[in-house]
Amino acid sequence: MNEQEFQQYLQKMVDTAVNALEDVKAKDIVVLDTSTKTSLFQRMIIASGDSTRQVKALANNVAVDLKEAGFTILSSEGQDSGEWALVDADDLVVHVMLPAVRDFYDIEALWGGEKPSFHAGASKPWHAADN
């Protein structure tokens, strides 16, 4: 597969996943290009669901639609609790989270935003747990 064919394949995969998320009313869908950050996958999609039931349904719909479109699903995680579900489709990783979990982990900043910087002498944004 040449570069142009690969980009078309990748875009079809992303479009299929986004449509699957929209079908079950996902909120705040973000698509990140991770191709320059890791060789493990090319794109990441992050979306929110309003309840654990919806998070599970969103992740399941993504997996089903990608599989029906001919893409391989390597794994699916987090379907038990429904707070954060992940679908790994090789070149695409889809995260579906409850809004509070998404806000807490802020993976958009980890993969697409500014890297946090720490300066000597500055107060740390974290502290060691008490014994």
Side-chain angles (χ1 to χ4, degrees), residues 10 12 17 34 51 53 57 75 89 96 120-121 128:
L10 194 57
K12 181 181 177 195
T34 57
S51 66
R53 180 177 286 178
S75 69
V96 184

Side-chain angles (χ1 to χ4, degrees), residues 43-127:
R43 300 288 185 276
M44 178 185 291
I45 298 176
I46 306 163
S48 297
D50 290 328
S51 66
T52 56
R53 180 177 286 178
Q54 187 185 21
V55 168
K56 292 176 190 180
L58 286 162
N60 182 64
N61 204 45
V62 167
V64 167
D65 284 10
L66 285 172
K67 201 168 193 178
E68 285 178 355
F71 300 106
T72 302
I73 304 301
L74 299 180
S75 69
S76 186
E77 302 290 333
Q79 301 266 348
D80 295 336
S81 72
E83 292 181 0
W84 181 350
L86 177 138
V87 177
D88 182 351
D90 193 24
D91 288 314
L92 173 67
V93 174
V94 180
H95 296 272
V96 184
M97 297 177 248
L98 292 174
V101 173
R102 185 173 178 177
D103 184 53
F104 180 79
Y105 287 102
D106 193 17
I107 61 175
E108 287 100 332
L110 292 174
W111 286 97
E114 290 292 315
K115 180 179 171 184
S117 60
F118 299 102
H119 303 286
S123 66
K124 298 174 185 153
W126 48 269
H127 67 278

Side-chain angles (χ1 to χ4, degrees), residues 4-64:
Q4 184 179 2
E5 291 171 333
F6 178 72
Q7 291 304 321
Q8 290 172 342
Y9 161 86
L10 194 57
Q11 190 59 51
K12 181 181 177 195
M13 183 184 281
V14 168
D15 291 345
T16 301
V18 168
N19 288 337
L21 290 166
E22 289 174 342
D23 285 348
V24 188
K25 310 291 187 229
K27 298 218 169 46
D28 304 318
I29 301 168
V30 174
V31 179
L32 299 173
D33 181 346
T34 57
S35 61
T36 61
K37 299 182 186 316
T38 182
S39 61
L40 297 175
F41 46 88
Q42 302 293 308
R43 300 288 185 276
M44 178 185 291
I45 298 176
I46 306 163
S48 297
D50 290 328
S51 66
T52 56
R53 180 177 286 178
Q54 187 185 21
V55 168
K56 292 176 190 180
L58 286 162
N60 182 64
N61 204 45
V62 167
V64 167

